[in-house]
Amino acid sequence: MPQTFAAKPNHLFEGWKLNNLQLEIKTRNLDAFLVPKVDIYRGETLADCDERLAWLTGFTGSTGLLAISLDKAVLFVDGRYALEARTTLPGLFEVCSFTNKRIVKWLTKNLPDGGQVGYCGLFHSVSEVKYLKNKLKKVGINLVSTNNLVDDIWKEKPPPPVSEIYYYPEDLAGETDQNKRLRISREIKSSGASALLITNPGSIGWLLNIRGNDIPYTPIVHALAILYSSGDVDLFVDPGKLPRNQNIEIDRGIRVIPHREFETSLGRVEGTIQIDPETTPQRYHDILRNSCKVKLHADPCLAARAHKNTTQIMHCKDVQTRDAVAFVEFLSWFFNHPRQTDLTEIDLSLKLWEFRQKQPGIMSPSFEAIVGSGPNGAIVHYRVKENTNRRLNNGDLILIDSGAQYIEGTTDLTRTICIGTPTRKQQMDFTLVLKSLISVSEAKWEVGSSGKFIDKFARIALKKVDEDYNHGTGHGVGQFLEVHEGPFRLSKKSTKPIHDNIILSLEPGLYREGEYGIRIENLAVTTSVSNTNNDNQQYCFETLTHVPIDLSMILPEKLTHEEINWFNRYHDETYSRLYPLLSTEAQAWIMKACQPL
């Protein structure tokens, strides 16, 4: 599915929606209601029928929560979307940083003693509800389970998606679904459980080697599953999604049950079932604890699928090269364009997708491309729409963050380029970001080191001049699954140890509100350090993305000798990998683009 740029009618703010929701809140004798941007699967990208927050507010970022009282409304967003929310939402919305502490603080300040806060248990995890309930209780506020109040007023809601399931071949996955199920079932047994509830469609897709097209850009099937300690699976899915020419149940230990029977089936589970408190909706926990023993434990599929096998890594390296070819062809086209200032952000998005479509195995973008020129580049996750589309100007920095889904794997890369001659300030900022990328790319860490520890490498150069960026340094990347894959990430808050064979993004940045944004992003795979004198096992990154970094933006005198050597080695390898695969025009361009410093 190619990217579209028209604002969806359902995503337009209309005051009557909030007014009607406030009437519902009052009718239920509540003082406030919480509306998070999630579906029952806790996915980052939602189907149109699950875009409740966008329908109410017009906010389309991937993370957010609306707290609405009888006379006020506040939107909680993370750092990636703070500027976007402040500049695009109507003035009646307060915008706050998205943390559970902030939510509690706002509710405490704006609700009366004994206040009642409603929530729908389908859209809040077990962990979230436990935290909010305990904290609010201490200040005399009650968290009350209700039905879905938004759907009660959303009368023309789109229908749920129905896409056909298809199998992901073993020669790409590197492992059969039977082997995966037995492997995870052993973990279930060792934890003392007899079954595992899986609510994450990415985990189900990985476990069963299946894919689908229920949402744009991410090839997942909206389904739920129970994996038993025997290795057998109950798959809850709309029957209309089953393959027409194959029986998914034959000799595979998979029993298909209509999705509508899921909650009834939960009520019949016996023994001990393991659920992930971070991803499982509170409502499912409430049903289960009435019929069986519930054990809270992280979904073992998350870590298992993040650790890529040798087949997956081989395919990932291949698609990074193909994607780099498409991106370099695009850069060559752009820098050779005779009238760059006649182009717009949408023009660049469309042209980049045009080059990607020429690559074998291409399926779709992996997310809506971020093409932010000038001040739009400072909006960290800016998505151009027809009403925001900006024409390029001389001196603009253009931040291009994009990726693609190939049948063999998923890509994500960012480059920041300049039209004309950059200013000294722009070069200083860009060079700082480059230093940050080099520092984290060269990082080494011992067994047990967390994502928080590695994240610090990317911020050293920026911290020295009192600069920083308000987002994580890196996220996991799936294999023809989510471009943002848990549970491993690089951020100030990530305490999970980073091991080998995990594919992560490395993407430091620097943003000047109202002027420009700079980000440089490569994908890398974690690997063991060889020839180390340290007795302890160490890990490092192997860079997977090879696309030239804009030479005109760099101040070589601000780089150390070691940093210049890293940069020149990176450009040498980029040139040798890509040159034979490029068109004649792009070959001429990359010869200049990969010159040494």
Side-chain angles (χ1 to χ4, degrees):
M1 174 184 292
Q3 183 172 344
T4 58
F5 305 98
K8 295 182 179 180
N10 279 335
H11 296 176
L12 298 177
F13 173 74
E14 296 173 283
W16 67 265
K17 299 173 184 177
L18 285 187
N19 293 337
N20 284 6
L21 181 56
Q22 287 169 325
L23 286 174
E24 285 291 321
I25 294 170
K26 186 175 182 179
T27 301
R28 308 301 175 95
N29 295 316
L30 299 171
D31 297 289
F33 187 72
L34 303 179
V35 184
K37 185 185 172 81
V38 295
D39 55 15
I40 63 173
Y41 312 104
R42 313 289 297 178
E44 184 176 56
T45 304
L46 306 184
D48 287 345
C49 61
D50 290 313
E51 287 280 13
R52 295 172 183 86
L53 187 61
W55 181 78
L56 277 170
T57 68
F59 174 74
T60 58
S62 62
T63 304
L65 179 141
L66 174 71
I68 178 170
S69 69
L70 297 177
D71 59 354
K72 293 182 180 179
V74 59
L75 183 66
F76 295 93
V77 297
D78 69 20
R80 297 171 297 170
Y81 299 107
L83 178 58
E84 176 185 345
R86 290 199 307 269
T87 56
T88 60
L89 290 181
L92 61 90
F93 289 97
E94 184 182 349
V95 177
C96 289
S97 175
F98 191 174
T99 66
N100 283 328
K101 288 183 179 179
R102 294 263 187 171
I103 296 168
V104 170
K105 183 178 180 180
W106 190 90
L107 292 171
T108 303
K109 179 182 177 181
N110 290 280
L111 299 188
D113 291 341
Q116 307 286 307
V117 180
Y119 77 97
C120 177
L122 286 171
F123 308 119
H124 295 266
S125 72
V126 173
S127 293
E128 289 170 348
V129 171
K130 180 180 179 181
Y131 178 89
L132 291 174
K133 187 170 287 188
N134 289 341
K135 293 296 184 181
L136 290 172
K137 185 177 181 181
K138 291 179 180 179
V139 295
I141 294 175
N142 299 311
L143 193 64
V144 181
S145 177
T146 73
N147 62 329
N148 184 357
L149 301 190
V150 178
D151 284 7
D152 288 347
I153 64 171
W154 192 356
K155 301 304 183 184
E156 297 181 358
K157 198 159 75 81
V162 180
S163 70
E164 186 172 324
I165 294 172
Y166 55 98
Y167 294 108
Y168 196 63
E170 182 188 343
D171 62 347
L172 297 182
E175 187 178 9
T176 65
D177 71 283
Q178 290 93 336
N179 190 64
K180 292 178 184 178
R181 286 188 278 121
L182 290 173
R183 184 151 60 92
I184 300 300
S185 68
R186 287 193 290 269
E187 293 193 44
I188 298 172
K189 289 179 185 177
S190 66
S191 74
S194 53
L196 168 70
L197 172 62
I198 309 174
T199 59
N200 183 299
S203 289
I204 294 171
W206 170 82
L207 182 69
L208 303 182
N209 283 346
I210 59 174
R211 301 292 190 270
N213 295 299
D214 278 348
I215 58 172
Y217 316 125
T218 306
I220 59 170
V221 180
H222 278 168
L224 300 163
I226 299 176
L227 173 65
Y228 297 93
S229 56
S230 63
D232 291 340
V233 167
D234 286 346
L235 178 66
F236 298 88
V237 66
D238 186 322
K241 298 179 182 182
L242 298 176
R244 296 183 182 89
N245 57 350
Q246 291 175 300
N247 187 336
I248 198 172
E249 298 177 290
I250 292 178
D251 297 327
R252 302 184 78 218
I254 300 173
R255 182 171 64 153
V256 175
I257 303 173
H259 199 294
R260 63 180 177 273
E261 298 178 18
F262 175 69
E263 292 191 9
T264 302
S265 298
L266 277 190
R268 293 196 293 261
V269 173
E270 299 176 346
T272 300
I273 189 166
Q274 179 178 317
I275 69 171
D276 189 333
E278 300 297 327
T279 59
T280 302
Q282 177 68 37
R283 178 157 158 177
Y284 299 159
H285 181 243
D286 292 341
I287 295 171
L288 285 167
R289 64 185 176 185
N290 289 325
S291 63
C292 66
K293 184 178 179 181
V294 178
K295 186 178 182 65
L296 304 181
H297 192 279
D299 175 5
C301 295
L302 293 177
R305 67 187 173 112
H307 286 89
K308 304 298 188 285
N309 59 46
T310 55
T311 299
Q312 291 176 298
I313 292 173
M314 175 189 70
H315 288 302
C316 179
K317 289 180 177 180
D318 184 44
V319 298
Q320 305 307 319
T321 299
R322 264 182 269 161
D323 204 53
V325 167
F327 205 91
V328 169
E329 292 285 355
F330 162 77
L331 291 174
S332 171
W333 165 83
F334 175 75
F335 281 109
N336 286 310
H337 197 283
R339 297 181 303 279
Q340 292 174 339
T341 54
D342 287 348
L343 301 172
T344 67
E345 294 167 336
I346 288 179
D347 291 333
L348 299 192
S349 297
L350 291 172
K351 196 66 178 182
L352 178 53
W353 175 237
E354 180 182 318
F355 282 114
R356 279 195 165 112
Q357 283 183 292
K358 297 177 182 178
Q359 294 301 312
I362 189 71
M363 303 296 284
S364 76
S366 53
F367 56 96
E368 289 184 307
I370 299 167
V371 179
S373 64
N376 287 342
I379 303 172
V380 178
H381 271 203
Y382 168 76
R383 259 70 171 189
V384 58
K385 297 297 180 183
E386 290 173 351
N387 61 335
T388 67
N389 190 24
R390 185 176 179 275
R391 189 173 295 278
L392 309 184
N393 295 313
N394 274 321
D396 274 351
L397 297 192
I398 309 168
L399 191 157
I400 305 171
D401 183 347
S402 68
Q405 295 284 7
Y406 296 83
I407 189 65
E408 302 94 339
T410 304
T411 70
D412 183 6
L413 73 99
T414 307
R415 289 295 181 265
T416 304
I417 57 178
C418 182
I419 297 181
T421 303
T423 66
R424 176 83 177 178
K425 178 184 176 183
Q426 291 171 336
Q427 290 176 312
M428 286 286 290
D429 285 347
F430 187 93
T431 304
L432 277 171
V433 176
L434 176 59
K435 289 169 77 73
S436 298
L437 176 69
I438 295 171
S439 178
V440 71
S441 298
E442 291 282 83
K444 293 181 175 62
W445 63 95
E446 294 184 351
V447 172
S449 297
S450 66
K452 181 178 180 179
F453 173 79
I454 301 167
D455 177 87
K456 292 179 181 178
F457 285 90
R459 302 180 194 268
I460 294 171
L462 290 163
K463 291 283 190 180
K464 286 181 179 179
V465 292
D466 294 323
E467 297 288 357
D468 201 0
Y469 48 94
N470 197 14
H471 58 77
T473 296
H475 56 82
V477 178
Q479 185 202 21
F480 193 50
L481 280 169
E482 297 104 319
V483 71
H484 294 156
E485 179 181 78
F488 302 102
R489 59 195 177 106
L490 309 179
S491 78
K492 294 178 180 180
K493 298 180 181 179
S494 177
T495 58
K496 206 160 190 66
I498 304 297
H499 305 293
D500 56 347
N501 298 329
I502 302 168
I503 295 173
L504 292 161
S505 67
L506 307 178
E507 47 182 310
L510 184 56
Y511 309 91
R512 304 292 186 194
E513 185 173 341
E515 298 182 58
Y516 54 80
I518 297 169
R519 188 162 63 249
I520 312 172
E521 175 189 15
N522 289 335
L523 296 191
V525 61
T526 58
T527 186
S528 298
V529 175
S530 58
N531 300 322
T532 177
N533 294 323
N534 195 318
D535 292 335
N536 295 325
Q537 175 64 60
Q538 286 187 308
Y539 301 116
C540 63
F541 288 115
E542 176 188 350
T543 298
L544 301 177
T545 305
H546 286 88
V547 170
I549 297 169
D550 193 345
L551 288 168
S552 74
M553 293 293 299
I554 301 170
L555 295 174
E557 67 271 20
K558 297 297 181 180
L559 298 175
T560 66
H561 178 70
E562 291 75 18
E563 288 168 340
I564 289 175
N565 284 341
W566 181 94
F567 183 87
N568 288 339
R569 288 195 307 271
Y570 178 78
H571 266 191
D572 283 346
E573 186 167 358
T574 297
Y575 177 81
S576 62
R577 282 172 180 257
L578 302 186
Y579 183 85
L581 307 174
L582 296 169
S583 66
T584 302
E585 184 177 34
Q587 285 178 333
W589 180 83
I590 202 173
M591 285 182 68
K592 296 177 181 177
C594 285
Q595 291 295 310
L597 291 175

